[in-house]
Amino acid sequence: MSEKHSFFLNPITCHAWNKDRSQIALSPNNHEVHIYQRNGNDWILLDVLNQHDLRVTDIDWAPNSNRIVTCSADRNAYVWTLSEDGKWKPTLVLLRIIRAATCVKWSPKENKFAVGSGAKLISVCYFERENDWWVSKHIKKPIKSTVTALDWHPNNYLLVVGSTDFKVRVYSAYVKDIDEPPPPTPWGSKAAIGQLLAEFQNSNYGGGWIHSVSFSGDGTRVCWVSHDASVCVADASRNNAVSKLRTECLPFLSCVWVGSNSIVAAGHGCCPMLYVVDDSGQVQFGGKLDTSTKKEAAGLSAMKKFQSFDRNARLENDTVLDTIHQNAITCVCVYQGTKGNATRVSTSGNDGQLVIWDLQSVEGGMQGLKIN
């Protein structure tokens, strides 16, 4: 089962939910972030965050502190705080980068966040109370190209980072000024910020840019998707063994753990897919989340055809895709539950649609496997 919501003719670059999923922040592929309140099946626009000068590239909403962080191609990041009058107020973050900011993520304790960039580095940002501003420390080596994706370990100290040099890396992001000494993990015990704990080559023969990375709910595994349409999992409890599944799909752009052994990935194929890690650590196809049937273009009105042409860059006489999303899916988020036990996920895409998927209704390919 799925819930479909349409917001724009514009693509949705990214989206993020508040704690109780009553509000959503999303960017219509420009310099703005729109905040909507859900009212049944309707959405009420509450505010437009327009402090950025160039396209917003990522959004994250801290569930407990209720702060939003945004980053943009204008090389800036802002932390947004809800004021007493119901308006979101921005605070500029000192990223100290010379290229576009590409991705952002709050840490689990929400006392810091990380920003990836085209400057071949990650800014780990935290609030400096003495000067009342957000400052950053840089993680640089040995990144050779743009940072495209990142995610935090559940312990609040480690970062997994993907980049366009075809590599995935696990770093320590311990900040002495605000963090307690970190406990040892299967990934290693080095504490200083920027210490490289693990590095994975996506393929011995290239393999493509890394588009998305995700720590598992218990933090012992990392999954990533790349431009060669593969799904990979690295397991620290198995001596950093890597399992790679080459799929016949178009490249995936986003992935997230939805169970201890389950991953949802989506991208240019317009259909979210479930993948399962078996007992031997190998990645297997689990099934499709989209169970919709093919729709014929003949029944479309002239206005619908025009909208399809404008939104999806297809000719008027093209048939409609046999998926709910009619263009690439750019973002996958857990909607209900946690990474270790999710029951629903949300996707947004270049067709301007937001879809909420029920993971219990996965079609085909399960063959006795279950989401867990």
Side-chain angles (χ1 to χ4, degrees):
M1 294 176 62
S2 62
E3 261 181 64
K4 183 174 72 171
H5 306 274
S6 296
F7 287 89
F8 312 108
L9 291 179
N10 303 54
I12 298 177
T13 307
C14 47
H15 73 275
W17 297 94
N18 69 342
K19 185 174 184 178
D20 64 4
R21 276 34 180 180
S22 63
Q23 296 181 14
I24 189 171
L26 44 81
S27 177
N29 200 38
N30 59 20
H31 68 285
E32 297 177 344
V33 174
H34 294 194
I35 310 294
Y36 285 89
Q37 172 80 44
R38 185 166 187 176
N39 182 18
N41 289 325
D42 298 325
W43 296 89
I44 302 169
L45 181 63
L46 298 180
D47 206 348
V48 176
L49 316 184
N50 55 9
Q51 194 70 23
H52 287 289
D53 295 324
L54 297 176
R55 186 175 70 92
V56 172
T57 52
D58 205 4
I59 307 167
D60 199 22
W61 199 325
N64 298 314
S65 61
N66 199 37
R67 294 178 298 194
I68 297 173
V69 61
T70 60
C71 66
S72 165
D74 63 7
R75 301 174 295 168
N76 291 323
Y78 288 95
V79 174
W80 302 81
T81 307
L82 190 63
S83 61
E84 293 181 359
D85 62 358
K87 294 294 183 181
W88 290 91
K89 305 299 182 183
T91 302
L92 180 66
V93 182
L94 301 178
L95 293 180
R96 299 182 293 120
I97 58 177
I98 60 172
R99 296 288 186 271
T102 54
C103 49
V104 65
K105 194 82 171 177
W106 283 105
S107 69
K109 292 184 179 179
E110 301 176 17
N111 60 344
K112 54 189 176 181
F113 58 88
V115 181
S117 72
K120 299 184 288 187
L121 58 83
I122 306 109
S123 298
V124 179
C125 308
Y126 60 97
F127 192 72
E128 197 173 73
R129 297 188 181 278
E130 294 80 6
N131 296 308
D132 193 31
W133 60 10
W134 290 87
V135 297
S136 63
K137 294 181 181 290
H138 285 171
I139 298 175
K140 298 181 179 180
K141 295 181 180 180
I143 303 171
K144 301 298 183 184
S145 192
T146 299
V147 174
T148 51
L150 51 81
D151 192 27
W152 286 91
H153 190 280
N155 70 3
N156 204 69
Y157 300 112
L158 304 184
L159 269 177
V160 59
V161 177
S163 58
T164 56
D165 60 6
F166 307 166
K167 291 188 178 181
V168 172
R169 300 176 175 93
V170 177
Y171 288 100
S172 169
Y174 166 72
V175 178
K176 184 178 180 180
D177 299 333
I178 63 170
D179 288 328
E180 297 178 358
T185 72
W187 298 100
S189 58
K190 294 180 181 179
I193 187 169
Q195 286 285 342
L196 181 63
L197 303 179
E199 182 178 83
F200 305 101
Q201 176 78 35
N202 189 46
S203 171
N204 293 330
Y205 304 99
W209 295 358
I210 309 300
H211 288 307
S212 182
V213 294
S214 181
F215 266 117
S216 61
D218 62 3
T220 60
R221 288 184 284 192
V222 167
C223 71
W224 67 87
V225 292
S226 60
H227 205 68
D228 63 352
S230 64
V231 179
C232 299
V233 172
D235 193 337
S237 65
R238 295 175 181 262
N239 198 28
N240 290 355
V242 177
S243 172
K244 180 168 185 172
L245 176 66
R246 295 183 180 274
T247 75
E248 297 181 353
C249 304
L250 293 174
F252 297 116
L253 298 176
S254 185
C255 66
V256 66
W257 288 88
V258 295
S260 58
N261 296 304
S262 310
I263 302 158
V264 169
H268 289 288
C270 309
C271 178
M273 302 286 193
L274 177 73
Y275 292 92
V276 180
V277 182
D278 64 20
D279 293 339
S280 64
Q282 299 302 304
V283 182
Q284 298 183 21
F285 174 67
K288 295 181 179 181
L289 270 62
D290 194 338
T291 59
S292 58
T293 56
K294 192 174 183 66
K295 300 172 286 292
E296 295 299 330
L300 293 177
S301 66
M303 177 58 73
K304 290 292 185 181
K305 287 185 178 181
F306 178 79
Q307 289 177 346
S308 177
F309 171 76
D310 179 66
R311 182 166 54 196
N312 305 316
R314 298 199 309 274
L315 297 176
E316 289 184 21
N317 59 358
D318 277 2
T319 57
V320 177
L321 297 179
D322 58 348
T323 54
I324 293 177
H325 277 290
Q326 293 293 294
N327 208 325
I329 296 171
T330 55
C331 183
V332 181
C333 295
V334 172
Y335 178 77
Q336 188 172 46
T338 64
K339 280 185 179 181
N341 185 23
T343 56
R344 289 197 286 177
V345 297
S346 61
T347 58
S348 58
N350 287 339
D351 56 358
Q353 294 190 114
L354 173 83
V355 183
I356 299 170
W357 306 89
D358 186 351
L359 294 176
Q360 305 305 315
S361 59
V362 178
E363 179 191 62
M366 290 301 288
Q367 298 176 348
L369 299 173
K370 64 178 181 178
I371 303 173
N372 56 26

